[in-house]
Amino acid sequence: MKLLVVATALDVGGRFDELMNAAFAAHAASRGQAAEIHLLDAEGAVTDIAAQAAGVQRVYRFNPAMVNNSDALLDAVAQACAQIKPSCVMWMGDVAGHQHAPRLAVRAKAAYVSGCCGFETTASGGLAFVRPIYGGKALEVLESNAAMTVLTVKPKSFSNQERQPVATQTVVEVLNVVIQPSSAAITRVSVDKPEEQTGPTLEDAQVIVSGGRGLGSAEGFGALRELAAQLNGAVGASRAAVDAGWISAKSQVGQTGTTVAPNLYIAIGISGAVQHLAGMSSARHIVAINKDDEAPIFGVADVGVVADYREIVPALLAELAERSA
Ligand SMILES: Cc1cc2nc3c(=O)[nH]c(=O)nc-3n(C[C@H](O)[C@H](O)[C@H](O)COP(=O)(O)OP(=O)(O)OC[C@H]3O[C@@H](n4cnc5c(N)ncnc54)[C@H](O)[C@@H]3O)c2cc1C
C-alpha cells in the first residue's frame, strides 16, 4: 500500500508537519499492508529532505518544475498519481487541498474523503478513514474499496503524532510531466492584496478573541482587536459576523471556516451554534461573554460571563493595562 503525501508551497510554509504526522499515523494504522510513505514535492518547497522528509521512502519532484498555476498543478499531480499508483493520496485540508483534492479525485476516478481526522485498521488490516460529521457531534469511519482514495486532512488533528520512520534512506526522483497548453495558458491576472498581518495567525494563535453577531457592528471588533493584541492573540469570528461584512472571511471559525485549538478561546457575542462549536470546541480553555444566560456557548465554556460585552471588554482592557503598567 502506497501513501502519497502531496505538499504544496502553502502546506510547507504552514501545515506540512501536520500533514506528515497524518501520513505516519496512516502508516501506523495500515500495519497489515506494509505501507510505504511517498512525498510529492509539488512546488519545490521541501528544501531540506533530511529534516522535512525524514523516514519516507521517496520524494518526487516535477520536470518541468511547477508554475504557480492551479490547473497546471492538477495536471501534474494527476500524472504523478498515474505513474506512482498510490492507494491513498493525502492533501492538507487548507486552501490548496480544498481546491485541488476533490478535482484530483474526479479526474482519477478515485474515492474522496474530506476532513479526515484519524485512521483505523480495517478487519483485513487495511486503512479506514475517520472524519467528523453533524458538525463534529459524531465521527464516521469510512472504508474505501476504490483503487485510489484521495483525502484531505483536517487541520489540528495530527499535531503530536509520534513518527516511526518507514525508511532509513529517502530517494529523490524526478517525474517527467506534460502540462496541457490549455492549463499552462491560464494566468492569474489579479492578485488580492493580503491584509496586513499583525500578531499570530488564527491557525497558530494560542489565544483567540472571537466576535459574533452580538457585537452589533464592524466597530465592535475594534475592542476585540485591542484585546487580542494585549494577549498576543488573533481575532476570530462567527459566520454571522463574517456574513454581515464586519470582518473578513478568513477570520471565520467553525465548520465552514477554520478549525482552531488554542490554549484560550474567548467567544464574545457568539451564541454557540453547533457549526461554530465544530471549529473551536477543542480549545483548552473557553471563556464566553454573552448577555443571554441560556446561550448554548455556556454549555462548552469553562468560564461564562453573562453580561453586555460593551461593559466587560473595556473592563478587561483596563485590567490588562493596569497589570502591564
Ligand atoms: C452549513 C452551515 C455551515 C455553517 N458554518 C458556520 C461556521 O463555520 N462558523 C459559524 O460561526 N457559523 C456557521 N454557521 C452558522 C451558524 O449556524 C450560526 O448561524 C452562527 O454561528 C451564528 O453566529 P453568532 O453566534 O455570531 O450569531 P447569533 O446566533 O445571532 O448569536 C449572537 C449572540 O450574541 C449575544 N449578544 C447580543 N448582544 C450582545 C451583547 N451586547 N453582549 C454580549 N452578547 C450579546 C446574543 O445573546 C446571542 O447569543 C453555519 C451554518 C450552516 C447552515
Side-chain angles (χ1 to χ4, degrees), residues 109 114 118 220 300 315:
K109 297 191 170 38
S114 66
V300 297

Side-chain angles (χ1 to χ4, degrees), residues 211-216 237-241 243 252-258 268-277 279 289-293 295-297 305 307-310:
R213 197 184 340 243
L215 297 189
S238 72
R239 179 156 137 183
D243 287 351
Q252 185 179 317
V253 171
Q255 186 182 323
T256 43
T258 302
I268 304 177
I270 293 178
S271 61
V274 62
Q275 295 90 353
H276 189 80
L277 301 184
I289 302 171
N290 195 304
K291 65 181 190 183
D292 174 8
D293 65 356
I297 191 76
V305 182
D308 190 317
Y309 86 95
R310 286 168 293 200

Side-chain angles (χ1 to χ4, degrees), residues 129-146:
F129 310 98
V130 183
R131 62 175 204 152
I133 52 171
Y134 303 125
K137 284 218 175 298
L139 294 174
E140 71 175 350
V141 182
L142 298 167
E143 291 184 29
S144 166
N145 55 13

Side-chain angles (χ1 to χ4, degrees), residues 8-302:
T8 62
L10 217 58
D11 302 329
V12 176
R15 301 179 172 267
F16 181 62
D17 243 24
E18 282 180 57
L19 185 57
M20 293 306 288
N21 283 340
F24 282 94
H27 176 264
S30 61
R31 54 186 179 265
Q33 306 276 332
E36 297 177 8
I37 302 180
H38 294 210
L39 170 63
L40 180 55
D41 180 15
E43 292 180 316
V46 177
T47 48
D48 184 349
I49 301 279
Q52 293 172 296
V56 315
Q57 252 96 356
R58 222 164 254 273
V59 173
Y60 302 97
R61 290 197 167 131
F62 289 129
N63 175 35
M66 292 307 309
V67 287
N68 189 10
N69 170 327
S70 170
D71 284 33
L73 178 67
L74 196 62
D75 268 0
V77 175
Q79 288 169 56
C81 288
Q83 293 176 49
I84 301 165
K85 299 195 178 10
S87 29
C88 179
V89 180
M90 306 175 66
W91 216 313
M92 195 63 215
D94 58 10
V95 176
H98 288 139
Q99 190 178 355
H100 297 102
R103 293 166 72 203
L104 174 68
V106 171
R107 277 207 196 181
K109 297 191 170 38
Y112 178 58
V113 177
S114 66
C116 187
C117 65
F119 299 99
E120 287 188 3
T121 313
T122 65
S124 58
L127 194 59
F129 310 98
V130 183
R131 62 175 204 152
I133 52 171
Y134 303 125
K137 284 218 175 298
L139 294 174
E140 71 175 350
V141 182
L142 298 167
E143 291 184 29
S144 166
N145 55 13
M148 183 169 116
T149 302
V150 181
L151 63 88
T152 52
V153 170
K154 186 172 163 60
K156 304 280 180 194
S157 302
F158 297 94
S159 298
N160 300 307
Q161 177 69 32
E162 201 178 303
R163 295 185 188 179
Q164 289 292 342
V166 178
T168 46
Q169 269 208 317
T170 305
V171 177
V172 179
E173 191 177 317
V174 174
L175 296 175
N176 292 316
V177 289
V178 180
I179 305 301
Q180 298 302 322
S182 58
S183 299
I186 298 170
T187 46
R188 187 180 290 171
V189 291
S190 70
V191 176
D192 286 342
K193 187 167 171 279
E195 277 174 33
E196 205 174 306
Q197 176 77 40
T198 51
T201 62
L202 201 54
E203 289 87 348
D204 298 328
Q206 282 309 303
V207 177
I208 294 176
V209 181
S210 229
R213 197 184 340 243
L215 297 189
S217 68
E219 288 68 45
F221 274 96
L224 271 61
R225 287 197 180 90
E226 236 179 284
L227 187 56
Q230 289 272 0
L231 299 169
N232 189 28
V235 175
S238 72
R239 179 156 137 183
V242 169
D243 287 351
W246 299 343
I247 188 162
S248 89
K250 74 174 195 202
S251 305
Q252 185 179 317
V253 171
Q255 186 182 323
T256 43
T258 302
T259 303
V260 297
N263 193 23
L264 173 63
Y265 189 89
I266 308 179
I268 304 177
I270 293 178
S271 61
V274 62
Q275 295 90 353
H276 189 80
L277 301 184
M280 46 64 76
S281 53
S282 306
R284 203 140 166 243
H285 306 285
I286 298 174
V287 174
I289 302 171
N290 195 304
K291 65 181 190 183
D292 174 8
D293 65 356
E294 293 194 355
I297 191 76
F298 290 128
V300 297
D302 301 290

